Amino acid sequence: MRKSLRFEIAHVLSNILGVLLITATVLFVAATPFSCKVTDSGIEVDSADENAPEIQDFSVESSSCASVRCSVPFSLSDLAMTSSSDGAEYGIDAKSVSFDESRSTAKIFFPLETETGKTYTLSGVISDAKGNSLKFSKDFIGFNDNQAFLVLKEVRPASENTKKKAAYLSFHALKGGNLAGTEVLFGYYNTKYAFPAITVSAGETIVLHLRSYGDAADGYVDELGSNLSLSSAFESSPTARDLWIPGTELYLSGTSDVVAVVNTYKDSAFDGLLYIKESGKSWSRNNQKSLAALLASSGVWKNDSPESAVVTGISSAAKSIQRNDLTELVASFSGNVPDCISSEKSDWRIGSATLGK
């Protein structure tokens, strides 16, 4: 009898402990912090309810305002803008926000004019009618109302460390202006390069070297002004504007990759290139697929499949991928700046590397 009683007590205690364990687990999961994530538009979502609105687009429209578009009608609260130069934070009140008729797009007016090339952060809370909300922040560059338009001219994907030959991209400035807000995205290594806020002239060539084997004392000097003879490192161009990415981190795959040239104010691509070393290969990384889809949806490339990419066969830094008939392309725009440069693999050829000549 006593043994039976002890058994029943042990059984009850076991059930109680089981309930406590389950309860503790539920509480732990509920209390686990939301893992911060970044959207395709570069918006950092710090916390979000399960059914929170989805941010579909963010664009800087001028030096005084930006727009945000969501998947459902929404409201904004706790808006603020921070300047990275001095860390000053400025609140944005409800009167500085206007919505379209659907209330799915909001225009946010800044409390001060932004300066070209400087970095700012916009933050706030987005909520829908059911009370679902998310907290976000977005870094952006002060608006550039005279943005240069660059055409991708040449890509050398291979580097040769022993000869200090770095992979590079060269660009032709179809329209002169400031480079602030122009970035290059690389698919394979999921890296990017943001051009400095410098002024370039229409017709000039910019060579972006994707690796530096030294520093300024070794001649690896960014040519940011009118003097294009400052850079003296190996493979500096005597006629083009040289820009160098510091260090030896890899940016461009030597075999297959997707390169996108984007306008960060509009979150859109306006030029780019898909290439593979051998036909029949697939994109090996998800970010290559994403960038290829961006180029296709933006009208830059015919489609996002590897079959549409330029087949290079390149195995050394002696060869590069070059755009055909650049002169004819430039003349076809007659001074008008297009939304994007539409290309396909037949618009490119393989030749001896020219360093943008």
Side-chain angles (χ1 to χ4, degrees):
M1 187 73 173
R2 290 179 180 175
K3 183 177 180 180
S4 177
L5 181 60
R6 286 197 303 268
F7 176 79
E8 289 182 15
I9 292 172
H11 181 68
V12 171
L13 289 173
S14 176
N15 287 340
I16 292 172
L17 287 172
V19 172
L20 290 173
L21 180 60
I22 292 170
T23 303
T25 302
V26 171
L27 288 173
F28 172 76
V29 171
T32 300
F34 173 86
S35 178
C36 172
K37 68 176 183 179
V38 178
T39 70
D40 291 340
S41 296
I43 299 174
E44 188 173 291
V45 178
D46 301 313
S47 61
D49 295 330
E50 183 179 354
N51 297 314
E54 176 189 348
I55 301 174
Q56 296 182 326
D57 182 63
F58 177 92
S59 61
V60 179
E61 298 187 348
S62 71
S63 60
S64 60
C65 73
S67 66
V68 179
R69 178 167 54 86
C70 288
S71 55
V72 296
F74 67 98
S75 60
L76 285 161
S77 59
D78 298 334
L79 282 173
M81 187 175 81
T82 305
S83 171
S84 63
S85 59
D86 56 10
E89 182 176 295
Y90 306 88
I92 302 175
D93 60 29
K95 295 179 181 178
S96 299
V97 179
S98 64
F99 288 88
D100 65 357
E101 291 184 5
S102 69
R103 288 194 66 86
S104 59
T105 300
K107 184 172 289 189
I108 303 167
F109 293 90
F110 305 143
L112 74 163
E113 293 280 317
T114 57
E115 295 182 41
T116 300
K118 288 193 174 182
T119 304
Y120 301 85
T121 302
L122 181 70
S123 60
V125 176
I126 290 176
S127 305
D128 65 15
K130 296 179 180 179
N132 299 306
S133 64
L134 63 82
K135 185 178 181 181
F136 75 93
S137 61
K138 166 68 176 178
D139 293 338
F140 66 95
I141 304 296
F143 190 72
N144 178 4
D145 59 3
N146 183 32
Q147 193 167 11
F149 191 99
L150 302 183
V151 176
L152 196 56
K153 182 177 179 181
E154 180 185 11
V155 175
R156 182 170 77 184
S159 295
E160 292 181 7
N161 296 350
T162 56
K163 296 182 180 180
K164 295 186 177 180
K165 289 186 175 182
Y168 67 79
L169 312 179
S170 73
F171 300 86
H172 173 87
L174 182 63
K175 172 187 174 296
N178 198 294
L179 291 180
T182 302
E183 291 185 354
V184 186
L185 310 182
F186 304 92
Y188 187 84
Y189 291 106
N190 193 17
T191 50
K192 69 178 181 180
Y193 172 81
F195 280 96
I198 59 174
T199 300
V200 299
S201 300
E204 76 171 67
T205 297
I206 299 101
V207 178
L208 175 61
H209 305 265
L210 303 182
R211 180 178 288 188
S212 300
Y213 296 96
D215 53 25
D218 302 304
Y220 295 91
V221 179
D222 282 342
E223 294 171 339
L224 306 178
S226 58
N227 187 347
L228 302 185
S229 302
L230 294 176
S231 182
S232 60
F234 180 63
E235 289 204 313
S236 295
S237 172
T239 56
R241 182 183 300 275
D242 292 292
L243 298 173
W244 300 86
I245 292 181
T248 56
E249 178 185 355
L250 294 174
Y251 277 72
L252 191 64
S253 169
T255 54
S256 66
D257 216 338
V258 180
V259 180
V261 189
V262 300
N263 180 335
T264 61
Y265 301 115
K266 298 180 179 179
D267 275 327
S268 62
F270 60 87
D271 200 3
L273 173 69
L274 280 64
Y275 69 86
I276 55 175
K277 186 175 180 179
E278 302 172 13
S279 59
K281 298 293 184 180
S282 300
W283 301 127
S284 59
R285 301 198 175 181
N286 287 334
N287 201 58
Q288 289 176 307
K289 298 176 184 177
S290 298
L291 275 190
L294 172 66
L295 292 181
S297 64
S298 300
V300 171
W301 205 259
K302 190 173 183 179
N303 63 63
D304 60 359
S305 71
E307 288 78 13
S308 72
V310 178
V311 180
T312 69
I314 292 176
S315 57
S316 77
K319 298 290 185 179
S320 67
I321 311 164
Q322 301 162 19
R323 188 184 291 275
N324 291 325
D325 301 322
L326 177 65
T327 302
E328 183 179 332
L329 174 68
V330 172
S332 68
F333 292 111
S334 303
N336 298 316
V337 178
D339 290 332
C340 71
I341 302 295
S342 298
S343 302
E344 54 185 314
K345 62 182 178 181
S346 61
D347 295 318
W348 297 82
R349 68 179 185 274
I350 309 303
S352 298
T354 70
L355 276 170
K357 293 179 182 177

